[in-house]
Amino acid sequence: MEGFEQFAAIQIEVFYWWCIAIMLQIHAGFLTLEVGISRVKNVLATALKNIMTLAVVLPAFYFVGWWIYNAFPDGLIPRMSEAALAALPWSENMGPNITDHASGVFWGAFALFAATTASILSGVLIERVRLSGFLILAAILGSVIWNLAASWGWHGEGWFLTQFGYHDVAAAGVIHAIAGFFALGVVVNLGPRIGKYTGDGKIVNILPHNLPSTLLGLMLIYVGFFGFLGGCIIAVTNGEWMTIYGTPTNLSAFVFNALMGLAGGLIGAYLGSKGEPFWVASGGLAGVISVGSGLDLYHPALAFVIAVIGGLMCPFIGNFLERKGIDDPVGAITVHGFIGIWSVLAVGIFASGYPNINGPEISFIGQLVCAAVVILLGFLPGYWTSLLLKKLNMLRIPKQAEMLGIDLTEIPATAFPEGIPSTQENGRLKMIMSKSKTS
């Protein structure tokens, strides 16, 4: 019996190991998406920002974020529980231990969730944010703000659940919406890209330099999402599966509704955008997010309908934000922020009355209250932190650098050497021009 339990523990360890590996593809997808959206003069800066997101968020989550998740399910006063103490970086659970098949892989899955929030933020800010300022924001979002939201709403004892019966099994609210509204708070202070609006406020359509790359990036995110969803389910050693809230489910329930959500989102966005490729592909992601909160509860036909609605809304929300001066080149505030909230509310509409193990039954009012908290918890820290960075001149790159391109002014390489001078070549060119003027 002991040998069987050890074998089952190793199987669970391997399962989450591969979920983590597949989740990394989400970040390859975000990189590819953002590089395609960026203009040629900014592609390397955009790629580097995505790579450095992992470099900063993962250690920040190790030292701070995992403890926050385990210590704050009751609100803003930390617990000194066994789980919280075990999440401190000097705990024996937070390093190699051949008798522990769970701590590392659970930490790793949550670390990739944390990095996903920062990657959502990344796309909104492309072509004008300072790398240093972005990494500060990414670390705060990925190691503090998201972890508070998750501790409150994605924890078996979180107060969202115990007080309001909150249900958000695939974290549409506490990952996607929290990141989307944090990004909205930041972009209010960051402002639009130069040239996005004319002097009289008319919108200028800044086209992606490589739309196929953007579409490929979204397809990679679809694939990575299956690692993400696998990480949202808890495997127990007796062969059963359960949600983060302790309610029974399995991977079959997840795959039915995830694929129906993907299809429904694509169809909804196709109808809403009249076939515009960027919004259609983004609609697939919106569809999966739309059904995420109730992924374990819906009949696949209902999931399809909810996803169609989510995909249909995307172009209209995105265009509305653009008219209000919100320059979000990748549509992340719409797809992750607003559709994440739609996902949370949809559970209250379609699954009201469903029982919880450790709290009141699901209700629309409960979902609505928790959605409002998520919006505020995302937006307010994003706004105030970015405002401070703006005051310190750490948020936005200089105007001249933005006009010339970040690759040309800050990156010691060039993406397309046949056509665009590198920073070193540009420096030599300036020196030659200076000498010619003095001779």
Side-chain angles (χ1 to χ4, degrees):
M1 190 66 175
E2 184 179 343
F4 173 78
E5 289 180 354
Q6 185 178 17
F7 176 71
I10 293 171
Q11 283 186 310
I12 292 169
E13 185 177 26
V14 171
F15 171 79
Y16 288 110
W17 171 276
W18 287 113
C19 286
I20 293 165
I22 297 168
M23 269 195 277
L24 279 168
Q25 192 151 268
I26 291 176
H27 300 280
F30 276 121
L31 187 153
T32 307
L33 161 66
E34 293 176 32
V35 165
I37 289 285
S38 295
R39 286 163 289 185
V40 171
K41 61 183 181 179
N42 296 316
V43 293
L44 287 181
T46 297
L48 185 64
K49 178 161 57 66
N50 278 267
I51 293 169
M52 291 304 296
T53 296
L54 293 170
V56 168
V57 173
L58 295 180
F61 185 79
Y62 178 83
F63 289 113
V64 180
W66 191 224
W67 174 76
I68 291 175
Y69 172 77
N70 284 281
F72 286 88
D74 302 319
L76 294 175
I77 299 175
R79 289 181 179 182
M80 299 304 291
S81 64
E82 182 179 345
L85 294 175
L88 291 168
W90 51 82
S91 165
E92 66 177 10
N93 294 70
M94 295 298 287
N97 183 342
I98 60 171
T99 65
D100 183 352
H101 295 283
S103 295
V105 289
F106 278 125
W107 172 83
F110 273 76
L112 267 295
F113 295 143
T116 297
T117 65
S119 289
I120 292 167
L121 171 68
S122 172
V124 179
L125 313 181
I126 59 173
E127 301 199 295
R128 65 227 195 256
V129 71
R130 287 184 184 271
L131 178 61
S132 57
F134 165 74
L135 292 177
I136 291 170
L137 292 165
I140 290 170
L141 173 60
S143 65
V144 179
I145 304 304
W146 169 70
N147 301 282
L148 278 176
S151 189
W152 297 351
W154 211 43
H155 188 293
E157 299 175 6
W159 68 270
F160 278 17
L161 171 64
T162 59
Q163 299 299 313
F164 294 98
Y166 182 71
H167 196 88
D168 185 16
V169 70
V174 299
I175 289 181
H176 296 282
I178 203 82
F181 283 94
F182 186 96
L184 179 60
V186 173
V187 83
V188 168
N189 288 311
L190 182 65
R193 292 167 291 175
I194 293 173
K196 177 61 181 175
Y197 297 93
T198 63
D200 58 358
K202 292 182 179 178
I203 299 168
V204 176
N205 191 17
I206 300 177
L207 298 174
H209 97 274
N210 189 340
L211 186 55
S213 171
T214 295
L215 303 182
L216 175 60
L218 285 160
M219 290 292 291
L220 289 172
I221 295 172
Y222 299 165
V223 177
F225 229 106
F226 280 85
F228 180 101
L229 296 178
C232 292
I233 196 169
I234 298 176
V236 291
T237 53
N238 62 3
E240 296 177 354
W241 303 79
M242 63 184 181
T243 70
I244 200 81
Y245 307 112
T247 52
T249 190
N250 57 33
L251 286 170
S252 288
F254 276 27
V255 77
F256 273 124
N257 289 333
L259 289 176
M260 291 297 279
L262 173 64
L266 291 168
I267 291 172
Y270 182 88
L271 296 173
S273 70
K274 299 180 180 179
E276 199 284 315
F278 170 75
W279 280 118
V280 172
S282 297
L285 181 55
V288 179
I289 295 171
S290 293
V291 300
S293 292
L295 198 68
D296 59 321
L297 302 179
Y298 300 139
H299 186 278
L302 177 58
F304 178 77
V305 172
I306 292 170
V308 169
I309 295 170
L312 189 65
M313 291 192 293
C314 277
F316 297 100
I317 296 172
N319 292 333
F320 172 79
L321 292 173
E322 189 176 44
R323 291 195 299 271
K324 296 299 180 181
I326 302 299
D327 182 15
D328 175 8
V330 301
I333 296 171
T334 297
V335 172
H336 298 274
F338 284 89
I339 300 304
I341 294 299
W342 159 239
S343 184
V344 170
L345 297 180
V347 172
I349 295 170
F350 297 105
S352 183
Y354 191 88
N356 280 305
I357 291 175
N358 192 25
E361 64 186 24
I362 296 171
S363 69
F364 179 75
I365 295 299
Q367 296 293 109
L368 179 63
V369 169
C370 295
V373 174
V374 164
I375 291 170
L376 293 174
L377 182 61
F379 180 83
L380 293 177
Y383 178 84
W384 289 111
T385 306
S386 61
L387 181 61
L388 176 61
L389 291 174
K390 183 178 181 179
K391 297 291 186 183
L392 296 173
N393 196 31
M394 295 176 62
L395 184 63
R396 186 158 181 153
I397 61 174
K399 180 179 179 180
Q400 190 67 13
E402 184 176 347
M403 294 179 69
L404 288 172
I406 310 176
D407 285 8
L408 190 62
T409 56
E410 296 188 11
I411 305 298
T414 181
F416 307 103
E418 293 85 358
I420 301 175
S422 68
T423 50
Q424 295 95 332
E425 291 169 339
N426 189 49
R428 289 195 293 270
L429 180 60
K430 288 181 179 179
M431 184 173 64
I432 293 170
M433 292 178 66
S434 178
K435 287 181 178 179
S436 66
K437 287 180 180 179
T438 57
S439 60

